[in-house]
Amino acid sequence: MSTAISPLAPTEYPEMPAIAGVKLATAAAGIRYKGRTDVLLATMDKGTAVAGVFTKSKCPSAPVEWCRAKLSGGKARALVVNSGNANAFTGKTGKHSTALTAQIASKAVGCGTGEVFLASTGVIGEPLDATKFDGVLAGLAETAAPGDWMAAAKAIMTTDTFPKVATATVKLGKTKVTINGMAKGAGMIAPDMATMLSFIFTDAPLSSAVLQSLLKSGVEDTFNAVTIDGDTSTSDTLLAFATGAAAANGAPKISRAADPRLKDFTKAFRNVLATLSEQVARDGEGARKLVEIIVEGAVSKQSARRIAMSIANSPLVKTAIAGEDANWGRVVMAVGKAGEPANRDKLSISFNGIRVAKSGARDPSYDEAEVSKAMQEPKIQIKVQLGLGKGRDRVLTCDLTKEYVAINGDYRS
């Protein structure tokens, strides 16, 4: 974990209210880090619905495989997250570790192992000693309490420089319900859902099928539209939990994703995902600039997404932004290599609202001094107009600095 907080970090954090039916506790189990918490236990009341989306990596971690297998049960009582060790590429030892962790957690909480969900983040390829959870989780189950979301978010950090949280309150029917979320992620971030670890909790009475639908649609323009370095992790996990506690206050039970009463809740849910995903982009390893890339005039939204990602993942574009250089030639390169329909002579490009290229050439009114000043801003918007259709998309990334190399060169040291 870096000791220097990203200059793009939030200047203030929201008040995170308690979620009825959810309790949290953290501890230092000595997984890898010394002198800091590295284990989170969240306990949920009986009947809590669960949903999840995971990495599409062909080399997933043992906890990802565990969660996928347990998701069909639709219910959750416990979530155990550790930082410092990803428990990935650990063979039979990794599977044994997840099973042992779940056994320890189920005993501590008083539930079946099928209701225990796991997530691990950190170094790949090193065995996770699950015996370190023995005793720790039992203590956490006893002390778990509603409330300290910031402590929970800090416990799951690795190279993150700040905890990532978000909250929303919205009416479901005539009853107020709450949505809280936390995330971790700073490197090895590329869309293929999920692109980090993130956990969402609500007291809304939603079925697991409804929750799954909300997640699947909600990630597309949030977490799936963020890239730091183009690398998809083995451990990427996004889980959502709905305790249903608000039903006691009159909130309607929702069992269909098409229920019109979900409209406002869906918007609030996606806003939480969007806030968390932007914080991931703001905490990109070594980042000094938040970069928003908008592609318009593509033949389709999908085509626009691919072009935007080509720009966002280009080391040449990202290093130019780090150097505060509006090098539109590198953007042209990234558009051209995307493999999507594009016409050089219709292409227009702008940086922070200043058009630098028009109709396939440098804009006649281009002013180097004006653009150079704009590139000094902490947020840079690159807008590309293809002039081919109505397809539009937006993605977030960050610049690529020397610190990114330093962080990842020393990661296992």
Side-chain angles (χ1 to χ4, degrees), residues 28-309:
I31 301 298
R32 177 167 182 254
Y33 304 113
K34 293 182 180 180
R36 56 154 287 190
T37 54
D38 56 7
V39 178
L40 162 67
L41 173 67
T43 65
M44 283 78 71
D45 285 354
K46 290 182 179 179
T48 295
V50 62
V53 285
F54 307 93
T55 181
K56 293 181 181 178
S57 169
K58 300 302 181 183
C59 299
S61 69
V64 166
E65 292 187 321
W66 174 274
C67 288
R68 281 177 175 158
K70 305 306 177 186
L71 204 60
S72 60
K75 300 297 180 183
R77 291 291 312 285
L79 167 68
V80 180
V81 187
N82 76 269
S83 59
N85 187 312
N87 195 13
F89 203 67
T90 47
K92 292 181 179 179
T93 300
K95 292 182 179 180
H96 174 73
S97 293
T98 55
L100 180 56
T101 303
Q103 288 172 12
I104 295 171
S106 66
K107 183 178 180 181
V109 175
C111 66
T113 56
E115 295 177 297
V116 176
F117 287 79
L118 309 172
S120 299
T121 178
V123 175
I124 295 171
E126 294 185 6
L128 174 62
D129 182 5
T131 61
K132 291 186 176 181
F133 296 125
D134 200 8
V136 172
L137 294 182
L140 292 179
E142 291 181 2
T143 60
D148 202 343
W149 294 88
M150 289 297 288
K154 289 177 180 178
I156 66 175
M157 291 164 58
T158 50
T159 59
D160 305 65
T161 70
F162 62 87
K164 301 166 183 66
V165 295
T167 186
T169 300
V170 65
K171 281 191 175 182
L172 186 61
K174 296 181 179 180
T175 304
K176 285 186 178 181
V177 296
T178 304
I179 306 165
N180 282 358
M182 69 181 87
K184 68 81 50 187
M188 202 181 285
I189 302 291
D192 241 348
M193 198 23 43
T195 52
M196 32 81 260
L197 299 186
S198 186
F199 310 104
I200 313 297
F201 300 83
T202 181
D203 55 353
L206 310 178
S207 70
S208 59
V210 168
L211 205 54
Q212 189 67 44
S213 178
L214 286 172
L215 271 187
K216 186 177 180 180
S217 61
V219 298
E220 287 310 311
D221 290 326
T222 58
F223 284 114
N224 274 359
V226 172
T227 179
I228 300 301
D229 47 26
D231 287 330
T232 298
S233 172
T234 59
S235 308
D236 302 338
T237 299
L238 171 53
L239 293 170
F241 304 92
T243 68
N249 297 323
K253 295 182 179 180
I254 306 296
S255 58
R256 295 186 305 108
D259 193 315
R261 293 172 294 183
L262 263 182
K263 182 179 179 181
D264 290 342
F265 183 91
T266 299
K267 183 178 179 180
F269 188 87
R270 290 181 178 178
N271 283 343
V272 168
L273 296 182
T275 300
L276 291 173
S277 60
E278 180 172 320
Q279 289 182 52
V280 170
R282 286 180 175 275
D283 203 18
E285 290 171 339
R288 294 295 178 267
K289 308 277 190 184
L290 175 67
V291 184
E292 178 186 44
I293 298 169
I294 298 173
V295 174
E296 297 178 332
V299 295
S300 67
K301 176 180 171 63
Q302 184 180 49
S303 181
R305 170 66 60 89
R306 289 173 178 166
I307 292 171
M309 282 297 176

